[in-house]
Amino acid sequence: ELRLCSKEKWLKKGHSLDIKAKGYETYVSKGSDKGIDVLASNGPLGFGGTKICIQVKTEDNVVGQPVLTELIGTMNNVGADYGLLVSWSGFVSSIEFDKRDRFFKVKFWDHNDIVREFLENYDQLEDWIKAKVPLKKIWVPEVMDDPSE
């Protein structure tokens, strides 16, 4: 069950592991994070390479412009190449313009993206997290249109 730790801790750890599964070294903040939840780099030992700053919001409210502004400032402060803004509750509708304008610098993940990424990278996750969330692959026949129609 996902409630083995707080939602915030789960999402931070989960994103760190998801990024680790893609070959990144990660730093996960503890306590007061000053806008930094996870830092990631795919360079050797976390040096060089592509640098990503991840901000995770676990509140039940949708995320708006102030959080995005904070992430961009944090990206500049730590020298991150890219940002990832994660919100289980989603984003205010006005963020759509920012998604377009910042497409090459910042990605936005809501609950659908979180679940998709988790499932896509499940096989590469560490054993302890698979033990907390045991999943089993099953094969289901695809429903196809009748070719005689």
Side-chain angles (χ1 to χ4, degrees):
E1 175 172 304
L2 296 181
R3 295 277 178 203
L4 296 173
C5 55
S6 73
K7 183 167 62 169
E8 180 176 11
K9 188 174 178 183
W10 173 260
L11 285 173
K12 284 183 187 180
K13 280 185 160 184
H15 285 295
S16 173
L17 292 169
D18 198 33
I19 296 294
K20 275 186 153 185
K22 294 181 179 202
Y24 283 77
E25 291 290 325
T26 61
Y27 164 83
V28 180
S29 70
K30 296 168 181 64
S32 178
D33 58 35
K34 297 184 181 179
I36 300 170
D37 288 323
V38 180
L39 295 175
S41 173
N42 62 353
L45 300 174
F47 297 113
T50 302
K51 299 176 285 283
I52 302 173
C53 182
I54 303 170
Q55 180 69 21
V56 179
K57 292 299 181 186
T58 59
E59 295 86 15
D60 291 331
N61 300 323
V62 293
V63 168
Q65 187 65 41
V67 175
L68 176 59
T69 301
E70 179 185 36
L71 173 62
I72 292 167
T74 302
M75 289 167 55
N76 290 329
N77 290 342
V78 300
D81 301 308
Y82 304 103
L84 176 59
L85 184 53
V86 180
S87 171
W88 187 262
S89 299
F91 304 94
V92 296
S93 59
S94 60
I95 284 258
E96 286 304 314
F97 294 110
D98 292 296
K99 286 181 180 181
R100 181 198 66 211
D101 295 344
R102 301 191 186 280
F103 180 80
F104 297 113
K105 278 297 221 186
V106 178
K107 297 298 178 200
F108 301 80
W109 284 4
D110 63 11
H111 63 279
N112 292 316
D113 301 304
I114 296 166
V115 171
R116 184 194 73 243
E117 286 290 324
F118 183 82
L119 294 175
E120 285 178 4
N121 294 287
Y122 185 80
D123 290 337
Q124 290 78 38
L125 294 175
E126 295 178 15
D127 289 339
W128 71 266
I129 198 160
K130 290 182 197 177
K132 287 186 183 263
V133 186
L135 299 178
K136 181 178 181 178
K137 283 186 179 179
I138 60 170
W139 296 96
V140 178
E142 182 179 356
V143 178
M144 302 182 73
D145 293 335
D146 185 357
S148 63
E149 289 185 53

